[in-house]
């Protein structure tokens, strides 16, 4: 065993450069997953990769991985908003999973309207699961009338709720 380095991420960059290895977004996502027991280190690596590795760029999947970690650890929602700003700055379009994750963080700083704006900007079509997430976000925020508007829109589009979402609606009444 080697002693722990005070700069493990810099050591990693040196290691990759010395061997002329390139890191793919998929591999970076797996590293973030492996580091997830230490969310601060996972986030540090996530930010480190594009800043320190020439030619490296995250994709929507790796952004979703870090957003999911932030969601699971109940991190400050402003961190998720910074991640989304970085996505936009780097020209990475999210996918419907990105929108679902952000809606799930709602009530704590990621507003549903912002999520819907991103979906439109990225040219995404909402699916039944996304509508359910939006409905739940409104109901959790005590925006009952908005929740019922989403429910009506879902019905018009032919989507159905599951028993959990129906129970939320009933509870809201």
């Amino acid at each position: 065993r080697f002693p722990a380095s005070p700069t493990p991420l810099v050591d990693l960059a040196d290691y990759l450069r010395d061997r002329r290895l390139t890191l793919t977004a998929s591999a970076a996502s797996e590293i973030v997953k492996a580091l997830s027991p230490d969310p601060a280190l996972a986030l540090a690596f996530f930010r480190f990769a594009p800043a320190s590795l020439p030619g490296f760029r995250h994709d929507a999947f790796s952004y979703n991985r870090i957003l999911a970690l932030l969601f699971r650890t109940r991190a400050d929602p402003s961190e998720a908003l910074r991640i989304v700003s970085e996505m936009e700055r780097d020209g990475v379009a999210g996918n419907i999973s990105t929108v679902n994750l952000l809606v799930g963080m709602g009530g704590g700083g990621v507003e549903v309207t912002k999520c819907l704006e991103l979906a439109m900007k990225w040219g995404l079509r909402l699916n039944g699961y996304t509508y359910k997430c939006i409905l739940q976000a409104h109901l959790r925020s005590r925006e009952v009338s908005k929740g019922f508007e989403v429910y009506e829109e879902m019905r018009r589009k032919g989507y159905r709720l599951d028993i959990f979402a129906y129970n939320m609606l009933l509870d809201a009444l």
Side-chain angles (χ1 to χ4, degrees), residues 141-165:
S141 298
R142 308 267 190 255
E143 298 171 331
V144 177
S145 61
K146 287 183 181 180
F148 277 95
E149 288 173 19
V150 172
Y151 171 65
E152 289 299 324
E153 185 175 345
M154 287 179 72
R155 286 187 51 188
R156 279 193 303 278
K157 294 188 176 207
Y159 295 116
R160 294 184 161 199
L161 293 178
D162 61 17
I163 190 67
F164 302 106

mmCIF file with all atom_site columns, all heavy atoms in Angstrom, residues 141-165:
data_model
loop_
_atom_site.group_PDB
_atom_site.id
_atom_site.type_symbol
_atom_site.label_atom_id
_atom_site.label_alt_id
_atom_site.label_comp_id
_atom_site.label_asym_id
_atom_site.label_entity_id
_atom_site.label_seq_id
_atom_site.pdbx_PDB_ins_code
_atom_site.Cartn_x
_atom_site.Cartn_y
_atom_site.Cartn_z
_atom_site.occupancy
_atom_site.B_iso_or_equiv
_atom_site.pdbx_formal_charge
_atom_site.auth_seq_id
_atom_site.auth_comp_id
_atom_site.auth_asym_id
_atom_site.auth_atom_id
_atom_site.pdbx_PDB_model_num
ATOM 1   N N   . SER A 1 141 ? -44.793 20.999 -2.885  1.00 0.00 ? 141 SER A N   1
ATOM 2   C CA  . SER A 1 141 ? -44.620 22.440 -2.629  1.00 0.00 ? 141 SER A CA  1
ATOM 3   C C   . SER A 1 141 ? -45.937 23.107 -2.242  1.00 0.00 ? 141 SER A C   1
ATOM 4   O O   . SER A 1 141 ? -46.011 24.329 -2.178  1.00 0.00 ? 141 SER A O   1
ATOM 5   C CB  . SER A 1 141 ? -44.050 23.125 -3.871  1.00 0.00 ? 141 SER A CB  1
ATOM 6   O OG  . SER A 1 141 ? -42.789 22.607 -4.177  1.00 0.00 ? 141 SER A OG  1
ATOM 7   N N   . ARG A 1 142 ? -46.949 22.285 -2.045  1.00 0.00 ? 142 ARG A N   1
ATOM 8   C CA  . ARG A 1 142 ? -48.291 22.776 -1.676  1.00 0.00 ? 142 ARG A CA  1
ATOM 9   C C   . ARG A 1 142 ? -48.908 23.652 -2.769  1.00 0.00 ? 142 ARG A C   1
ATOM 10  O O   . ARG A 1 142 ? -49.728 24.521 -2.486  1.00 0.00 ? 142 ARG A O   1
ATOM 11  C CB  . ARG A 1 142 ? -48.256 23.535 -0.356  1.00 0.00 ? 142 ARG A CB  1
ATOM 12  C CG  . ARG A 1 142 ? -47.610 22.792 0.791   1.00 0.00 ? 142 ARG A CG  1
ATOM 13  C CD  . ARG A 1 142 ? -48.632 22.029 1.586   1.00 0.00 ? 142 ARG A CD  1
ATOM 14  N NE  . ARG A 1 142 ? -48.082 21.499 2.810   1.00 0.00 ? 142 ARG A NE  1
ATOM 15  C CZ  . ARG A 1 142 ? -47.782 20.210 2.990   1.00 0.00 ? 142 ARG A CZ  1
ATOM 16  N NH1 . ARG A 1 142 ? -47.995 19.357 2.015   1.00 0.00 ? 142 ARG A NH1 1
ATOM 17  N NH2 . ARG A 1 142 ? -47.309 19.786 4.142   1.00 0.00 ? 142 ARG A NH2 1
ATOM 18  N N   . GLU A 1 143 ? -48.518 23.418 -4.010  1.00 0.00 ? 143 GLU A N   1
ATOM 19  C CA  . GLU A 1 143 ? -49.105 24.117 -5.159  1.00 0.00 ? 143 GLU A CA  1
ATOM 20  C C   . GLU A 1 143 ? -50.158 23.192 -5.771  1.00 0.00 ? 143 GLU A C   1
ATOM 21  O O   . GLU A 1 143 ? -50.002 22.671 -6.867  1.00 0.00 ? 143 GLU A O   1
ATOM 22  C CB  . GLU A 1 143 ? -48.020 24.448 -6.176  1.00 0.00 ? 143 GLU A CB  1
ATOM 23  C CG  . GLU A 1 143 ? -46.953 25.383 -5.637  1.00 0.00 ? 143 GLU A CG  1
ATOM 24  C CD  . GLU A 1 143 ? -45.775 25.534 -6.584  1.00 0.00 ? 143 GLU A CD  1
ATOM 25  O OE1 . GLU A 1 143 ? -45.468 24.596 -7.345  1.00 0.00 ? 143 GLU A OE1 1
ATOM 26  O OE2 . GLU A 1 143 ? -45.148 26.606 -6.546  1.00 0.00 ? 143 GLU A OE2 1
ATOM 27  N N   . VAL A 1 144 ? -51.249 23.005 -5.007  1.00 0.00 ? 144 VAL A N   1
ATOM 28  C CA  . VAL A 1 144 ? -52.253 22.006 -5.351  1.00 0.00 ? 144 VAL A CA  1
ATOM 29  C C   . VAL A 1 144 ? -52.913 22.309 -6.695  1.00 0.00 ? 144 VAL A C   1
ATOM 30  O O   . VAL A 1 144 ? -53.089 21.409 -7.518  1.00 0.00 ? 144 VAL A O   1
ATOM 31  C CB  . VAL A 1 144 ? -53.302 21.881 -4.223  1.00 0.00 ? 144 VAL A CB  1
ATOM 32  C CG1 . VAL A 1 144 ? -54.404 20.909 -4.595  1.00 0.00 ? 144 VAL A CG1 1
ATOM 33  C CG2 . VAL A 1 144 ? -52.620 21.464 -2.924  1.00 0.00 ? 144 VAL A CG2 1
ATOM 34  N N   . SER A 1 145 ? -53.251 23.571 -6.950  1.00 0.00 ? 145 SER A N   1
ATOM 35  C CA  . SER A 1 145 ? -53.928 23.892 -8.211  1.00 0.00 ? 145 SER A CA  1
ATOM 36  C C   . SER A 1 145 ? -53.019 23.591 -9.408  1.00 0.00 ? 145 SER A C   1
ATOM 37  O O   . SER A 1 145 ? -53.481 23.070 -10.427 1.00 0.00 ? 145 SER A O   1
ATOM 38  C CB  . SER A 1 145 ? -54.408 25.339 -8.240  1.00 0.00 ? 145 SER A CB  1
ATOM 39  O OG  . SER A 1 145 ? -53.317 26.218 -8.122  1.00 0.00 ? 145 SER A OG  1
ATOM 40  N N   . LYS A 1 146 ? -51.733 23.889 -9.283  1.00 0.00 ? 146 LYS A N   1
ATOM 41  C CA  . LYS A 1 146 ? -50.794 23.556 -10.363 1.00 0.00 ? 146 LYS A CA  1
ATOM 42  C C   . LYS A 1 146 ? -50.688 22.037 -10.534 1.00 0.00 ? 146 LYS A C   1
ATOM 43  O O   . LYS A 1 146 ? -50.579 21.541 -11.649 1.00 0.00 ? 146 LYS A O   1
ATOM 44  C CB  . LYS A 1 146 ? -49.414 24.153 -10.095 1.00 0.00 ? 146 LYS A CB  1
ATOM 45  C CG  . LYS A 1 146 ? -49.351 25.644 -10.277 1.00 0.00 ? 146 LYS A CG  1
ATOM 46  C CD  . LYS A 1 146 ? -47.946 26.159 -10.057 1.00 0.00 ? 146 LYS A CD  1
ATOM 47  C CE  . LYS A 1 146 ? -47.876 27.650 -10.224 1.00 0.00 ? 146 LYS A CE  1
ATOM 48  N NZ  . LYS A 1 146 ? -46.510 28.160 -10.015 1.00 0.00 ? 146 LYS A NZ  1
ATOM 49  N N   . GLY A 1 147 ? -50.708 21.326 -9.425  1.00 0.00 ? 147 GLY A N   1
ATOM 50  C CA  . GLY A 1 147 ? -50.666 19.863 -9.477  1.00 0.00 ? 147 GLY A CA  1
ATOM 51  C C   . GLY A 1 147 ? -51.851 19.308 -10.247 1.00 0.00 ? 147 GLY A C   1
ATOM 52  O O   . GLY A 1 147 ? -51.700 18.424 -11.097 1.00 0.00 ? 147 GLY A O   1
ATOM 53  N N   . PHE A 1 148 ? -53.035 19.849 -9.975  1.00 0.00 ? 148 PHE A N   1
ATOM 54  C CA  . PHE A 1 148 ? -54.224 19.369 -10.691 1.00 0.00 ? 148 PHE A CA  1
ATOM 55  C C   . PHE A 1 148 ? -54.202 19.779 -12.162 1.00 0.00 ? 148 PHE A C   1
ATOM 56  O O   . PHE A 1 148 ? -54.698 19.048 -13.019 1.00 0.00 ? 148 PHE A O   1
ATOM 57  C CB  . PHE A 1 148 ? -55.504 19.824 -9.985  1.00 0.00 ? 148 PHE A CB  1
ATOM 58  C CG  . PHE A 1 148 ? -55.874 18.910 -8.852  1.00 0.00 ? 148 PHE A CG  1
ATOM 59  C CD1 . PHE A 1 148 ? -55.480 19.201 -7.565  1.00 0.00 ? 148 PHE A CD1 1
ATOM 60  C CD2 . PHE A 1 148 ? -56.580 17.736 -9.087  1.00 0.00 ? 148 PHE A CD2 1
ATOM 61  C CE1 . PHE A 1 148 ? -55.792 18.343 -6.521  1.00 0.00 ? 148 PHE A CE1 1
ATOM 62  C CE2 . PHE A 1 148 ? -56.899 16.874 -8.052  1.00 0.00 ? 148 PHE A CE2 1
ATOM 63  C CZ  . PHE A 1 148 ? -56.503 17.178 -6.758  1.00 0.00 ? 148 PHE A CZ  1
ATOM 64  N N   . GLU A 1 149 ? -53.602 20.918 -12.470 1.00 0.00 ? 149 GLU A N   1
ATOM 65  C CA  . GLU A 1 149 ? -53.442 21.309 -13.883 1.00 0.00 ? 149 GLU A CA  1
ATOM 66  C C   . GLU A 1 149 ? -52.562 20.299 -14.612 1.00 0.00 ? 149 GLU A C   1
ATOM 67  O O   . GLU A 1 149 ? -52.850 19.909 -15.744 1.00 0.00 ? 149 GLU A O   1
ATOM 68  C CB  . GLU A 1 149 ? -52.826 22.705 -13.988 1.00 0.00 ? 149 GLU A CB  1
ATOM 69  C CG  . GLU A 1 149 ? -53.749 23.829 -13.597 1.00 0.00 ? 149 GLU A CG  1
ATOM 70  C CD  . GLU A 1 149 ? -53.046 25.179 -13.561 1.00 0.00 ? 149 GLU A CD  1
ATOM 71  O OE1 . GLU A 1 149 ? -51.956 25.320 -14.163 1.00 0.00 ? 149 GLU A OE1 1
ATOM 72  O OE2 . GLU A 1 149 ? -53.595 26.099 -12.928 1.00 0.00 ? 149 GLU A OE2 1
ATOM 73  N N   . VAL A 1 150 ? -51.493 19.877 -13.968 1.00 0.00 ? 150 VAL A N   1
ATOM 74  C CA  . VAL A 1 150 ? -50.603 18.874 -14.563 1.00 0.00 ? 150 VAL A CA  1
ATOM 75  C C   . VAL A 1 150 ? -51.359 17.555 -14.737 1.00 0.00 ? 150 VAL A C   1
ATOM 76  O O   . VAL A 1 150 ? -51.245 16.898 -15.777 1.00 0.00 ? 150 VAL A O   1
ATOM 77  C CB  . VAL A 1 150 ? -49.330 18.674 -13.713 1.00 0.00 ? 150 VAL A CB  1
ATOM 78  C CG1 . VAL A 1 150 ? -48.501 17.506 -14.211 1.00 0.00 ? 150 VAL A CG1 1
ATOM 79  C CG2 . VAL A 1 150 ? -48.505 19.954 -13.705 1.00 0.00 ? 150 VAL A CG2 1
ATOM 80  N N   . TYR A 1 151 ? -52.131 17.188 -13.738 1.00 0.00 ? 151 TYR A N   1
ATOM 81  C CA  . TYR A 1 151 ? -52.930 15.956 -13.825 1.00 0.00 ? 151 TYR A CA  1
ATOM 82  C C   . TYR A 1 151 ? -53.874 16.008 -15.027 1.00 0.00 ? 151 TYR A C   1
ATOM 83  O O   . TYR A 1 151 ? -53.972 15.041 -15.798 1.00 0.00 ? 151 TYR A O   1
ATOM 84  C CB  . TYR A 1 151 ? -53.716 15.751 -12.530 1.00 0.00 ? 151 TYR A CB  1
ATOM 85  C CG  . TYR A 1 151 ? -54.719 14.634 -12.602 1.00 0.00 ? 151 TYR A CG  1
ATOM 86  C CD1 . TYR A 1 151 ? -54.311 13.316 -12.763 1.00 0.00 ? 151 TYR A CD1 1
ATOM 87  C CD2 . TYR A 1 151 ? -56.080 14.894 -12.522 1.00 0.00 ? 151 TYR A CD2 1
ATOM 88  C CE1 . TYR A 1 151 ? -55.235 12.283 -12.842 1.00 0.00 ? 151 TYR A CE1 1
ATOM 89  C CE2 . TYR A 1 151 ? -57.005 13.878 -12.594 1.00 0.00 ? 151 TYR A CE2 1
ATOM 90  C CZ  . TYR A 1 151 ? -56.586 12.583 -12.756 1.00 0.00 ? 151 TYR A CZ  1
ATOM 91  O OH  . TYR A 1 151 ? -57.499 11.567 -12.837 1.00 0.00 ? 151 TYR A OH  1
ATOM 92  N N   . GLU A 1 152 ? -54.548 17.137 -15.215 1.00 0.00 ? 152 GLU A N   1
ATOM 93  C CA  . GLU A 1 152 ? -55.470 17.285 -16.356 1.00 0.00 ? 152 GLU A CA  1
ATOM 94  C C   . GLU A 1 152 ? -54.710 17.205 -17.681 1.00 0.00 ? 152 GLU A C   1
ATOM 95  O O   . GLU A 1 152 ? -55.172 16.582 -18.641 1.00 0.00 ? 152 GLU A O   1
ATOM 96  C CB  . GLU A 1 152 ? -56.253 18.600 -16.251 1.00 0.00 ? 152 GLU A CB  1
ATOM 97  C CG  . GLU A 1 152 ? -57.287 18.604 -15.155 1.00 0.00 ? 152 GLU A CG  1
ATOM 98  C CD  . GLU A 1 152 ? -58.349 17.531 -15.340 1.00 0.00 ? 152 GLU A CD  1
ATOM 99  O OE1 . GLU A 1 152 ? -58.751 17.241 -16.492 1.00 0.00 ? 152 GLU A OE1 1
ATOM 100 O OE2 . GLU A 1 152 ? -58.767 16.953 -14.312 1.00 0.00 ? 152 GLU A OE2 1
ATOM 101 N N   . GLU A 1 153 ? -53.549 17.833 -17.743 1.00 0.00 ? 153 GLU A N   1
ATOM 102 C CA  . GLU A 1 153 ? -52.738 17.769 -18.964 1.00 0.00 ? 153 GLU A CA  1
ATOM 103 C C   . GLU A 1 153 ? -52.313 16.328 -19.247 1.00 0.00 ? 153 GLU A C   1
ATOM 104 O O   . GLU A 1 153 ? -52.327 15.878 -20.390 1.00 0.00 ? 153 GLU A O   1
ATOM 105 C CB  . GLU A 1 153 ? -51.519 18.679 -18.843 1.00 0.00 ? 153 GLU A CB  1
ATOM 106 C CG  . GLU A 1 153 ? -50.702 18.750 -20.118 1.00 0.00 ? 153 GLU A CG  1
ATOM 107 C CD  . GLU A 1 153 ? -49.551 19.740 -20.038 1.00 0.00 ? 153 GLU A CD  1
ATOM 108 O OE1 . GLU A 1 153 ? -49.524 20.587 -19.127 1.00 0.00 ? 153 GLU A OE1 1
ATOM 109 O OE2 . GLU A 1 153 ? -48.675 19.662 -20.910 1.00 0.00 ? 153 GLU A OE2 1
ATOM 110 N N   . MET A 1 154 ? -51.926 15.619 -18.200 1.00 0.00 ? 154 MET A N   1
ATOM 111 C CA  . MET A 1 154 ? -51.545 14.212 -18.360 1.00 0.00 ? 154 MET A CA  1
ATOM 112 C C   . MET A 1 154 ? -52.701 13.412 -18.959 1.00 0.00 ? 154 MET A C   1
ATOM 113 O O   . MET A 1 154 ? -52.508 12.616 -19.877 1.00 0.00 ? 154 MET A O   1
ATOM 114 C CB  . MET A 1 154 ? -51.176 13.581 -17.007 1.00 0.00 ? 154 MET A CB  1
ATOM 115 C CG  . MET A 1 154 ? -49.868 14.011 -16.443 1.00 0.00 ? 154 MET A CG  1
ATOM 116 S SD  . MET A 1 154 ? -49.562 13.227 -14.851 1.00 0.00 ? 154 MET A SD  1
ATOM 117 C CE  . MET A 1 154 ? -49.223 11.545 -15.361 1.00 0.00 ? 154 MET A CE  1
ATOM 118 N N   . ARG A 1 155 ? -53.870 13.614 -18.412 1.00 0.00 ? 155 ARG A N   1
ATOM 119 C CA  . ARG A 1 155 ? -55.055 12.873 -18.900 1.00 0.00 ? 155 ARG A CA  1
ATOM 120 C C   . ARG A 1 155 ? -55.320 13.191 -20.363 1.00 0.00 ? 155 ARG A C   1
ATOM 121 O O   . ARG A 1 155 ? -55.610 12.293 -21.150 1.00 0.00 ? 155 ARG A O   1
ATOM 122 C CB  . ARG A 1 155 ? -56.265 13.210 -18.040 1.00 0.00 ? 155 ARG A CB  1
ATOM 123 C CG  . ARG A 1 155 ? -56.175 12.544 -16.667 1.00 0.00 ? 155 ARG A CG  1
ATOM 124 C CD  . ARG A 1 155 ? -57.413 12.727 -15.863 1.00 0.00 ? 155 ARG A CD  1
ATOM 125 N NE  . ARG A 1 155 ? -58.576 12.348 -16.658 1.00 0.00 ? 155 ARG A NE  1
ATOM 126 C CZ  . ARG A 1 155 ? -59.815 12.543 -16.295 1.00 0.00 ? 155 ARG A CZ  1
ATOM 127 N NH1 . ARG A 1 155 ? -60.080 13.092 -15.142 1.00 0.00 ? 155 ARG A NH1 1
ATOM 128 N NH2 . ARG A 1 155 ? -60.820 12.186 -17.061 1.00 0.00 ? 155 ARG A NH2 1
ATOM 129 N N   . ARG A 1 156 ? -55.206 14.484 -20.729 1.00 0.00 ? 156 ARG A N   1
ATOM 130 C CA  . ARG A 1 156 ? -55.433 14.883 -22.130 1.00 0.00 ? 156 ARG A CA  1
ATOM 131 C C   . ARG A 1 156 ? -54.443 14.192 -23.063 1.00 0.00 ? 156 ARG A C   1
ATOM 132 O O   . ARG A 1 156 ? -54.763 13.859 -24.193 1.00 0.00 ? 156 ARG A O   1
ATOM 133 C CB  . ARG A 1 156 ? -55.307 16.398 -22.295 1.00 0.00 ? 156 ARG A CB  1
ATOM 134 C CG  . ARG A 1 156 ? -56.524 17.177 -21.901 1.00 0.00 ? 156 ARG A CG  1
ATOM 135 C CD  . ARG A 1 156 ? -56.466 18.627 -22.385 1.00 0.00 ? 156 ARG A CD  1
ATOM 136 N NE  . ARG A 1 156 ? -55.300 19.363 -21.936 1.00 0.00 ? 156 ARG A NE  1
ATOM 137 C CZ  . ARG A 1 156 ? -55.164 19.947 -20.750 1.00 0.00 ? 156 ARG A CZ  1
ATOM 138 N NH1 . ARG A 1 156 ? -56.126 19.869 -19.863 1.00 0.00 ? 156 ARG A NH1 1
ATOM 139 N NH2 . ARG A 1 156 ? -54.070 20.618 -20.447 1.00 0.00 ? 156 ARG A NH2 1
ATOM 140 N N   . LYS A 1 157 ? -53.221 13.981 -22.573 1.00 0.00 ? 157 LYS A N   1
ATOM 141 C CA  . LYS A 1 157 ? -52.186 13.369 -23.402 1.00 0.00 ? 157 LYS A CA  1
ATOM 142 C C   . LYS A 1 157 ? -52.184 11.845 -23.315 1.00 0.00 ? 157 LYS A C   1
ATOM 143 O O   . LYS A 1 157 ? -51.350 11.188 -23.941 1.00 0.00 ? 157 LYS A O   1
ATOM 144 C CB  . LYS A 1 157 ? -50.817 13.922 -23.022 1.00 0.00 ? 157 LYS A CB  1
ATOM 145 C CG  . LYS A 1 157 ? -50.716 15.401 -23.371 1.00 0.00 ? 157 LYS A CG  1
ATOM 146 C CD  . LYS A 1 157 ? -49.334 15.922 -23.202 1.00 0.00 ? 157 LYS A CD  1
ATOM 147 C CE  . LYS A 1 157 ? -49.349 17.375 -23.670 1.00 0.00 ? 157 LYS A CE  1
ATOM 148 N NZ  . LYS A 1 157 ? -48.096 17.827 -24.139 1.00 0.00 ? 157 LYS A NZ  1
ATOM 149 N N   . GLY A 1 158 ? -53.090 11.290 -22.511 1.00 0.00 ? 158 GLY A N   1
ATOM 150 C CA  . GLY A 1 158 ? -53.218 9.839  -22.432 1.00 0.00 ? 158 GLY A CA  1
ATOM 151 C C   . GLY A 1 158 ? -52.311 9.156  -21.421 1.00 0.00 ? 158 GLY A C   1
ATOM 152 O O   . GLY A 1 158 ? -52.203 7.932  -21.409 1.00 0.00 ? 158 GLY A O   1
ATOM 153 N N   . TYR A 1 159 ? -51.677 9.921  -20.539 1.00 0.00 ? 159 TYR A N   1
ATOM 154 C CA  . TYR A 1 159 ? -50.825 9.327  -19.510 1.00 0.00 ? 159 TYR A CA  1
ATOM 155 C C   . TYR A 1 159 ? -51.650 9.026  -18.273 1.00 0.00 ? 159 TYR A C   1
ATOM 156 O O   . TYR A 1 159 ? -52.617 9.717  -17.973 1.00 0.00 ? 159 TYR A O   1
ATOM 157 C CB  . TYR A 1 159 ? -49.670 10.271 -19.132 1.00 0.00 ? 159 TYR A CB  1
ATOM 158 C CG  . TYR A 1 159 ? -48.703 10.523 -20.256 1.00 0.00 ? 159 TYR A CG  1
ATOM 159 C CD1 . TYR A 1 159 ? -48.545 11.796 -20.791 1.00 0.00 ? 159 TYR A CD1 1
ATOM 160 C CD2 . TYR A 1 159 ? -47.938 9.488  -20.783 1.00 0.00 ? 159 TYR A CD2 1
ATOM 161 C CE1 . TYR A 1 159 ? -47.649 12.035 -21.818 1.00 0.00 ? 159 TYR A CE1 1
ATOM 162 C CE2 . TYR A 1 159 ? -47.038 9.719  -21.811 1.00 0.00 ? 159 TYR A CE2 1
ATOM 163 C CZ  . TYR A 1 159 ? -46.903 10.991 -22.320 1.00 0.00 ? 159 TYR A CZ  1
ATOM 164 O OH  . TYR A 1 159 ? -46.014 11.230 -23.342 1.00 0.00 ? 159 TYR A OH  1
ATOM 165 N N   . ARG A 1 160 ? -51.247 7.988  -17.570 1.00 0.00 ? 160 ARG A N   1
ATOM 166 C CA  . ARG A 1 160 ? -51.939 7.598  -16.346 1.00 0.00 ? 160 ARG A CA  1
ATOM 167 C C   . ARG A 1 160 ? -51.000 7.663  -15.161 1.00 0.00 ? 160 ARG A C   1
ATOM 168 O O   . ARG A 1 160 ? -49.808 7.423  -15.287 1.00 0.00 ? 160 ARG A O   1
ATOM 169 C CB  . ARG A 1 160 ? -52.465 6.173  -16.479 1.00 0.00 ? 160 ARG A CB  1
ATOM 170 C CG  . ARG A 1 160 ? -53.523 6.056  -17.518 1.00 0.00 ? 160 ARG A CG  1
ATOM 171 C CD  . ARG A 1 160 ? -54.064 4.674  -17.544 1.00 0.00 ? 160 ARG A CD  1
ATOM 172 N NE  . ARG A 1 160 ? -55.341 4.742  -18.216 1.00 0.00 ? 160 ARG A NE  1
ATOM 173 C CZ  . ARG A 1 160 ? -56.258 3.843  -18.118 1.00 0.00 ? 160 ARG A CZ  1
ATOM 174 N NH1 . ARG A 1 160 ? -56.056 2.777  -17.385 1.00 0.00 ? 160 ARG A NH1 1
ATOM 175 N NH2 . ARG A 1 160 ? -57.400 3.977  -18.753 1.00 0.00 ? 160 ARG A NH2 1
ATOM 176 N N   . LEU A 1 161 ? -51.587 7.932  -14.025 1.00 0.00 ? 161 LEU A N   1
ATOM 177 C CA  . LEU A 1 161 ? -50.819 7.958  -12.784 1.00 0.00 ? 161 LEU A CA  1
ATOM 178 C C   . LEU A 1 161 ? -50.758 6.574  -12.160 1.00 0.00 ? 161 LEU A C   1
ATOM 179 O O   . LEU A 1 161 ? -51.617 5.738  -12.415 1.00 0.00 ? 161 LEU A O   1
ATOM 180 C CB  . LEU A 1 161 ? -51.474 8.913  -11.783 1.00 0.00 ? 161 LEU A CB  1
ATOM 181 C CG  . LEU A 1 161 ? -51.453 10.386 -12.129 1.00 0.00 ? 161 LEU A CG  1
ATOM 182 C CD1 . LEU A 1 161 ? -52.187 11.187 -11.060 1.00 0.00 ? 161 LEU A CD1 1
ATOM 183 C CD2 . LEU A 1 161 ? -50.026 10.885 -12.251 1.00 0.00 ? 161 LEU A CD2 1
ATOM 184 N N   . ASP A 1 162 ? -49.769 6.369  -11.322 1.00 0.00 ? 162 ASP A N   1
ATOM 185 C CA  . ASP A 1 162 ? -49.741 5.142  -10.536 1.00 0.00 ? 162 ASP A CA  1
ATOM 186 C C   . ASP A 1 162 ? -50.448 5.411  -9.203  1.00 0.00 ? 162 ASP A C   1
ATOM 187 O O   . ASP A 1 162 ? -50.868 6.532  -8.906  1.00 0.00 ? 162 ASP A O   1
ATOM 188 C CB  . ASP A 1 162 ? -48.296 4.654  -10.317 1.00 0.00 ? 162 ASP A CB  1
ATOM 189 C CG  . ASP A 1 162 ? -47.423 5.637  -9.573  1.00 0.00 ? 162 ASP A CG  1
ATOM 190 O OD1 . ASP A 1 162 ? -47.960 6.565  -8.921  1.00 0.00 ? 162 ASP A OD1 1
ATOM 191 O OD2 . ASP A 1 162 ? -46.200 5.476  -9.632  1.00 0.00 ? 162 ASP A OD2 1
ATOM 192 N N   . ILE A 1 163 ? -50.584 4.383  -8.403  1.00 0.00 ? 163 ILE A N   1
ATOM 193 C CA  . ILE A 1 163 ? -51.336 4.489  -7.151  1.00 0.00 ? 163 ILE A CA  1
ATOM 194 C C   . ILE A 1 163 ? -50.720 5.515  -6.198  1.00 0.00 ? 163 ILE A C   1
ATOM 195 O O   . ILE A 1 163 ? -51.432 6.213  -5.475  1.00 0.00 ? 163 ILE A O   1
ATOM 196 C CB  . ILE A 1 163 ? -51.480 3.094  -6.478  1.00 0.00 ? 163 ILE A CB  1
ATOM 197 C CG1 . ILE A 1 163 ? -52.462 3.159  -5.304  1.00 0.00 ? 163 ILE A CG1 1
ATOM 198 C CG2 . ILE A 1 163 ? -50.129 2.565  -6.029  1.00 0.00 ? 163 ILE A CG2 1
ATOM 199 C CD1 . ILE A 1 163 ? -53.868 3.418  -5.718  1.00 0.00 ? 163 ILE A CD1 1
ATOM 200 N N   . PHE A 1 164 ? -49.396 5.647  -6.218  1.00 0.00 ? 164 PHE A N   1
ATOM 201 C CA  . PHE A 1 164 ? -48.737 6.597  -5.325  1.00 0.00 ? 164 PHE A CA  1
ATOM 202 C C   . PHE A 1 164 ? -49.106 8.034  -5.682  1.00 0.00 ? 164 PHE A C   1
ATOM 203 O O   . PHE A 1 164 ? -49.389 8.841  -4.801  1.00 0.00 ? 164 PHE A O   1
ATOM 204 C CB  . PHE A 1 164 ? -47.224 6.407  -5.365  1.00 0.00 ? 164 PHE A CB  1
ATOM 205 C CG  . PHE A 1 164 ? -46.799 5.021  -4.984  1.00 0.00 ? 164 PHE A CG  1
ATOM 206 C CD1 . PHE A 1 164 ? -46.357 4.130  -5.942  1.00 0.00 ? 164 PHE A CD1 1
ATOM 207 C CD2 . PHE A 1 164 ? -46.886 4.588  -3.661  1.00 0.00 ? 164 PHE A CD2 1
ATOM 208 C CE1 . PHE A 1 164 ? -45.984 2.839  -5.599  1.00 0.00 ? 164 PHE A CE1 1
ATOM 209 C CE2 . PHE A 1 164 ? -46.520 3.301  -3.313  1.00 0.00 ? 164 PHE A CE2 1
ATOM 210 C CZ  . PHE A 1 164 ? -46.076 2.432  -4.277  1.00 0.00 ? 164 PHE A CZ  1
ATOM 211 N N   . ALA A 1 165 ? -49.115 8.350  -6.966  1.00 0.00 ? 165 ALA A N   1
ATOM 212 C CA  . ALA A 1 165 ? -49.464 9.701  -7.395  1.00 0.00 ? 165 ALA A CA  1
ATOM 213 C C   . ALA A 1 165 ? -50.938 9.984  -7.128  1.00 0.00 ? 165 ALA A C   1
ATOM 214 O O   . ALA A 1 165 ? -51.309 11.094 -6.699  1.00 0.00 ? 165 ALA A O   1
ATOM 215 C CB  . ALA A 1 165 ? -49.126 9.895  -8.865  1.00 0.00 ? 165 ALA A CB  1
#
